[in-house]
Amino acid sequence: MTVLILLLLSHLGAREASYAGARIAGSPTLGKEISAIAWRESRHTRVGIHKGDSWASGTAYKRALAKGYISPLCPVWGPPKEYGVRGAHGLMSAYHLRYLPIPCLPPQVFDIPVVSAYAAAKKAQDICKRYGACTKQERHLIWRSVKAWRNR
């Protein structure tokens, strides 16, 4: 059902998709926060790969494979640069594919705003559960750097 809804909502712009993605992820109260991330990352526009962040893509892909975020059984959907920072919410796709309900999706799926919003909301939920960082301010710090969170 979630996948069908995501497909039907794929035409939404980044602002509306932020609210829809948070609701689909089960956390409608995160909509405003997820929308703010999209504003910061893309000014609420649809974007593909973030070229300025592509330098880290190869390393991120290798680390995601090593950590099990991407299964070695999944097809490789292009060169490692495709697994870099993508979409309206600026997610490193290699690390965020694990938040999607279907395994082995291509990294380009994050170019669809409602998909990146859903993954961002799932990440926020995971941060709260794993680190106890459940406020917007706490999530903002840990979102940027787990090391900074631990050293606070």
Side-chain angles (χ1 to χ4, degrees):
M1 181 69 157
T2 300
V3 174
L4 179 60
I5 292 169
L6 290 174
L7 290 173
L8 293 172
L9 298 175
S10 65
H11 71 283
L12 293 177
R15 183 180 184 283
E16 297 80 12
S18 296
Y19 288 91
R23 181 171 292 282
I24 294 165
S27 297
T29 58
L30 288 173
K32 185 175 181 180
E33 184 177 341
I34 302 301
S35 179
I37 291 167
W39 177 254
R40 183 177 65 247
E41 291 292 331
S42 69
R43 295 296 187 250
H44 284 149
T45 60
R46 286 179 176 258
V47 293
I49 199 148
H50 293 224
K51 291 181 181 29
D53 296 317
S54 63
W55 60 271
S57 303
T59 302
Y61 179 75
K62 290 175 190 169
R63 286 184 182 165
L65 277 172
K67 290 181 178 244
Y69 298 162
I70 300 173
S71 169
L73 302 176
C74 292
V76 178
W77 299 101
K81 72 176 183 168
E82 293 294 323
Y83 290 84
V85 177
R86 303 191 73 97
H89 297 87
L91 301 177
M92 178 66 77
S93 59
Y95 294 154
H96 292 84
L97 284 166
R98 66 188 164 130
Y99 293 116
L100 300 179
I102 300 173
C104 298
L105 289 171
Q108 295 85 351
V109 74
F110 289 109
D111 300 352
I112 303 167
V114 74
V115 175
S116 63
Y118 174 87
K122 285 299 197 182
K123 177 180 181 173
Q125 293 168 351
D126 184 47
I127 287 171
C128 179
K129 182 178 176 182
R130 192 175 343 167
Y131 300 103
C134 301
T135 68
K136 179 182 176 182
Q137 293 76 18
E138 291 170 333
R139 278 191 298 272
H140 181 74
L141 179 59
I142 202 167
W143 195 291
R144 291 177 40 224
S145 167
V146 173
K147 186 176 180 180
W149 169 258
R150 291 185 176 141
N151 293 333
R152 61 180 158 68

